[in-house]
Amino acid sequence: MATAGPAGQSERATRNRSFGRSLYWRIGFGFILFLAITLALQAGLFIWLAGETEGAMPERMGRDFAELVAAEFEATLAREPNIDLRAFAQRRVKELHRPAAIIFPDGTAIAPPGLEIPRGMRLPFRRRGGGPPPGERRFGGPDGPPPEGGRSRMFGPPRRGPVMAPIAYNDTIVAVVWVPPLAGWSRVAEVIGTPLAIGGLLLLVGGTAIAALAIFRPAQARLRALEDAANRFGEGDLTARAPAIGGDEVAAVAEAFNRMASDLAARQAQLVEADRARRQLLADVSHELMTPLTAIRGYAETLALPQFVPATKEGLRAVKVIQEEGERIERLVKDLLDLARFEAGGLSLDLENVDVDEIFERVSERHAKAAEDKGVMITIEPHQEDIRMIGDPMRLEQAVQNLAANALRHTAAGGVVSLGAARDNGRIRLTVTDNGIGIPPEHLPHVFDRFYKADQSRLQAAGSGLGLSIVKAIVERHGGTVAVRSTQGVETVFEIVLPERLSR
């Protein structure tokens, strides 16, 4: 399965993604924006309707308000006959939720800032008991008739008229409450705009909080659980599953992921079982082949004895071919057995203090004759320090032997195969370099596969096709890595990197 590195990096990148790229935040921001626009439209519609509706109810709302204010003033006079009515009016008009003016018989008026009272307005100052009126008064002075058609010089043609309610004390009208009409939706907005704005803001905050807790937070938690399950599955945990709760789209995605994970886990189990069976079959077949191979080699060696040697050249050549092919098959079977044991983890290492120079010398001596026959030189690169490491000397020598044999096999006459070693930050680097034909770039990722040969025309050449696979198995069993880099016709370098100390 995949390693944890890329999946872990992907998970951290997902956790740290910006708000602008997060689906949760985009949905949440869109919901908040939609809610704010809806509240703003509703507030605007309410203000417009409030401004228009009062004009359609013949002064009813304004008259009720004026009568309520007049009744309040009359009740105050009844409780406190000596009260300074002007001072009380000065204070009270500022507290009313709707603009209103208190007009006294002398023509003076107390009104909140910004409220204009039309001049020439008729004021009904008279006795309540039906006595003779002292004469109607006009606001602003007795001269002049009222404006034509009742039009206000300041407001122009009014859409609705003002209303008045008398304030009486001892059957005498002592003042008049004058309530102007609301001047359309703009005046309504001025009066109730602030409460509406505060209420809308509270609704926006409350709606956002409720939506976050009831809608977005559960959805985010479920999506986060699905993401975590996918990350764990990518890191190799085949038991990772996402919670499929409910019947919505998130649950459908979780169920689809769980089905996919179950299918992949089942296929992985089948592959593991098939690989185990293949390895067991390989080991069994290789083991069974050793008995007939031993017999074949024994009889071939017997035929080569002087008393049994064939009398003809063809017979001698046949015996030689039997011996050579028997040896080649025996090497192949041994390689198969070694590879099967390494992959199954059943081969233990005999750890010792290994001198790298001794391994290089034995490898050079073993291949000296073959290199001389081919016209290739095997050299050991000098190094200043004594390089030693903890490992299995026989298996490490086997790995270097395989790499040297492979390099020698693909290096033409006049070429050089060099063995080198260096210590690098607590690790040992072993290199086998040749200046042979090289490896095409498209074949480099596959050179350590079983039976893989870059040059298919050389399938009949010496070598089982398992040498590099065995090298990789030995190196990985020691906790190291092996890699190759090659420039065709120039140089090919196989590099083994091993820990200097390997725990037993």
Side-chain angles (χ1 to χ4, degrees):
M1 293 299 294
T3 59
Q9 294 174 1
S10 174
E11 180 180 1
R12 289 191 294 272
T14 302
R15 304 283 187 191
N16 298 328
R17 63 165 60 95
S18 63
F19 288 165
R21 297 180 60 189
S22 171
L23 178 63
Y24 317 132
W25 287 101
R26 281 187 286 174
I27 294 177
F29 179 76
F31 174 80
I32 294 173
L33 184 62
F34 171 76
L35 185 60
I37 293 175
T38 302
L39 290 175
L41 292 176
Q42 288 181 340
L45 181 60
F46 175 78
I47 291 173
W48 181 80
L49 288 176
E52 294 298 319
T53 302
E54 188 179 27
M57 295 178 61
E59 302 182 354
R60 174 65 184 270
M61 295 178 65
R63 183 172 66 251
D64 290 346
F65 177 71
E67 290 176 354
L68 285 174
V69 175
E72 179 186 356
F73 272 74
E74 289 177 353
T76 301
L77 285 172
R79 290 193 309 269
E80 304 177 40
N82 298 325
I83 190 174
D84 185 350
L85 191 60
R86 293 179 183 271
F88 177 73
Q90 186 74 37
R91 182 180 72 255
R92 192 68 185 89
V93 294
K94 297 178 181 179
E95 300 172 351
L96 298 176
H97 72 275
R98 176 171 176 173
I102 309 300
I103 304 175
F104 293 92
D106 59 0
T108 60
I110 297 176
L115 180 61
E116 298 290 342
I117 304 174
R119 300 182 65 82
M121 183 173 54
R122 296 178 181 273
L123 301 175
F125 286 108
R126 59 185 177 82
R127 295 180 179 273
R128 276 197 174 182
E136 291 186 342
R137 303 291 300 273
R138 294 177 183 272
F139 176 74
D143 8 274
E148 292 182 24
R151 295 172 178 254
S152 168
R153 296 187 184 98
M154 301 187 66
F155 291 112
R159 296 178 57 196
R160 57 188 74 87
V163 294
M164 289 178 287
I167 301 174
Y169 179 68
N170 291 336
D171 295 331
T172 303
I173 298 177
V174 297
V176 173
V177 178
W178 180 80
V179 178
L182 291 176
W185 64 268
S186 60
R187 184 59 182 168
V188 176
E190 180 181 343
V191 175
I192 64 175
T194 301
L196 280 178
I198 296 176
L201 181 61
L202 292 178
L203 285 175
L204 179 62
V205 174
T208 302
I210 293 174
L213 294 175
I215 302 175
F216 299 118
R217 185 177 181 84
Q220 181 183 13
R222 294 167 62 194
L223 289 174
R224 185 69 71 189
L226 176 59
E227 179 187 11
D228 291 340
N231 287 332
R232 294 201 314 274
F233 193 85
E235 292 172 358
D237 182 6
L238 299 183
T239 63
R241 297 293 184 271
I245 304 172
D248 55 8
E249 291 80 359
V250 178
V253 174
E255 290 174 357
F257 169 80
N258 291 340
R259 288 195 299 270
M260 178 198 70
S262 298
D263 292 344
L264 290 177
R267 293 177 185 178
Q268 177 67 15
Q270 293 174 357
L271 289 175
V272 170
E273 179 60 25
D275 187 63
R276 187 199 64 78
R278 178 191 59 78
R279 292 178 181 176
Q280 185 63 40
L281 177 63
L282 186 64
D284 293 343
V285 170
S286 301
H287 184 270
E288 292 298 325
L289 285 174
M290 291 302 296
T291 300
L293 281 174
T294 302
I296 291 173
R297 287 197 62 193
Y299 281 110
E301 291 173 358
T302 300
L303 289 174
L305 294 176
Q307 60 270 36
F308 298 107
V309 66
T312 63
K313 293 183 179 180
E314 288 77 7
L316 291 174
R317 184 170 63 84
V319 171
K320 182 179 180 182
V321 170
I322 292 174
Q323 289 179 323
E324 291 176 350
E325 292 302 315
E327 291 175 357
R328 190 171 75 86
I329 295 176
E330 186 176 10
R331 287 196 302 270
L332 174 60
V333 171
K334 288 182 178 179
D335 287 346
L336 286 173
L337 283 172
D338 286 345
L339 185 59
R341 290 168 182 165
F342 274 116
E343 289 181 342
L347 193 62
S348 60
L349 300 178
D350 296 327
L351 302 181
E352 300 178 11
N353 189 6
V354 180
D355 187 345
V356 174
D357 287 335
E358 291 182 0
I359 291 179
F360 284 172
E361 289 173 2
R362 287 196 295 269
V363 170
S364 178
E365 291 174 0
R366 177 175 179 179
H367 294 284
K369 181 66 170 61
E372 181 180 355
D373 294 342
K374 197 172 183 180
V376 176
M377 180 183 299
I378 298 180
T379 63
I380 299 176
E381 298 178 1
H383 45 266
Q384 300 293 331
E385 53 186 341
D386 182 23
I387 298 179
R388 294 177 177 272
M389 58 177 295
I390 300 298
D392 187 327
M394 185 182 71
R395 295 301 177 181
L396 290 176
E397 181 179 341
Q398 182 182 1
V400 179
Q401 291 276 16
N402 288 355
L403 291 179
N406 182 76
L408 185 61
R409 190 179 305 122
H410 296 92
T411 302
V416 177
V417 174
S418 61
L419 311 178
R423 181 178 283 108
D424 182 15
N425 294 327
R427 305 184 74 82
I428 303 299
R429 296 182 180 274
L430 308 180
T431 58
V432 178
T433 306
D434 67 78
N435 57 358
I437 60 176
I439 305 173
E442 63 271 18
H443 295 295
L444 287 175
H446 309 288
V447 294
F448 295 103
D449 297 345
R450 301 184 198 94
F451 301 108
Y452 186 85
K453 292 187 177 181
D455 187 358
Q456 295 299 319
S457 66
R458 303 183 65 148
L459 287 175
Q460 301 302 321
S464 62
L466 294 173
L468 296 181
S469 299
I470 293 175
V471 170
K472 182 180 180 183
I474 293 174
V475 171
E476 290 179 349
R477 186 70 177 83
H478 280 78
T481 60
V482 60
V484 59
R485 58 182 184 274
S486 178
T487 302
Q488 285 187 275
V490 179
E491 182 182 69
T492 298
V493 179
F494 282 86
E495 182 179 61
I496 297 175
V497 180
L498 297 167
E500 192 169 354
R501 295 187 175 276
L502 180 66
S503 58
R504 292 181 180 270

